[in-house]
Amino acid sequence: MLLRRIALAAAALAPAALLAVPSASAAPAAALPMPPANPEGLDHLTVTVSDNGRFDGREATSTTFYLYCHPDGGTHPRAREACRQIDGQTTWGKDPFAPVPDGTVCTMIYGGPQRARVVGHWAGRPVLAEFKRTNGCEIERWERFSRLLGTPVKGWPGIR
């Protein structure tokens, strides 16, 4: 009997609920912005490389580039190559910018004073990554992003 009352009450309320739904012809109260035509076009990074002495042959103590991918662009000198390199490391469920895990055994090789900070969005996820060249693991991580971060020029102290 209780179920019958619930069913009758739901049937009585259904037409009123349908009237409360705005029709497609009704004007919205406030216009909402349109979503981007290409959601993949939201891949963008700001890359700051510092204490590097040189970045691809250019003298600087700190250099900032903007990288946009899908489509490629921005102020990065090798945007297309950088986008392809990051794309090649992007896998569903993994953070390509993840730091070296704690407890990793690394060779104690100093690669130089270079540091980099990468912020932005990649593959729908926020990015906040720090790079350095203080040991073998960090050098290897830097090299995986060499098109994005640049390769220190030989002749800088600590680089052979």
Side-chain angles (χ1 to χ4, degrees):
M1 189 71 168
L2 180 61
L3 289 176
R4 184 175 175 196
R5 283 187 188 170
I6 294 172
L8 288 174
L13 292 175
L18 288 175
L19 290 175
V21 175
S23 67
S25 63
L32 297 175
M34 291 296 293
N38 178 10
E40 290 179 326
L42 298 177
D43 291 335
H44 63 88
L45 301 170
T46 301
V47 182
T48 302
V49 182
S50 61
D51 296 329
N52 62 339
R54 298 177 184 174
F55 183 84
D56 292 342
R58 294 170 28 173
E59 294 286 335
T61 56
S62 180
T63 306
T64 299
F65 296 110
Y66 302 99
L67 176 68
Y68 296 90
C69 298
H70 314 113
D72 306 336
T75 61
H76 195 284
R78 294 186 176 138
R80 173 177 242 165
E81 295 172 21
C83 291
R84 299 301 167 265
Q85 187 178 48
I86 301 168
D87 278 339
Q89 299 180 58
T90 304
T91 322
W92 181 259
K94 291 188 177 183
D95 180 5
F97 297 96
V100 174
D102 289 337
T104 302
V105 178
C106 302
T107 58
M108 297 309 295
I109 298 173
Y110 180 68
Q114 297 80 12
R115 294 194 173 278
R117 180 178 175 92
V118 179
V119 296
H121 284 85
W122 188 264
R125 298 176 65 174
V127 174
L128 175 55
E130 302 282 339
F131 292 84
K132 53 192 174 194
R133 298 177 55 84
T134 55
N135 62 43
C137 296
E138 294 291 350
I139 293 169
E140 188 276 330
R141 181 171 174 247
W142 184 291
E143 292 301 318
R144 283 192 352 248
F145 292 93
S146 61
R147 298 291 184 234
L148 177 68
L149 305 176
T151 302
V153 177
K154 290 184 178 186
W156 181 258
I159 300 172
R160 301 193 190 281

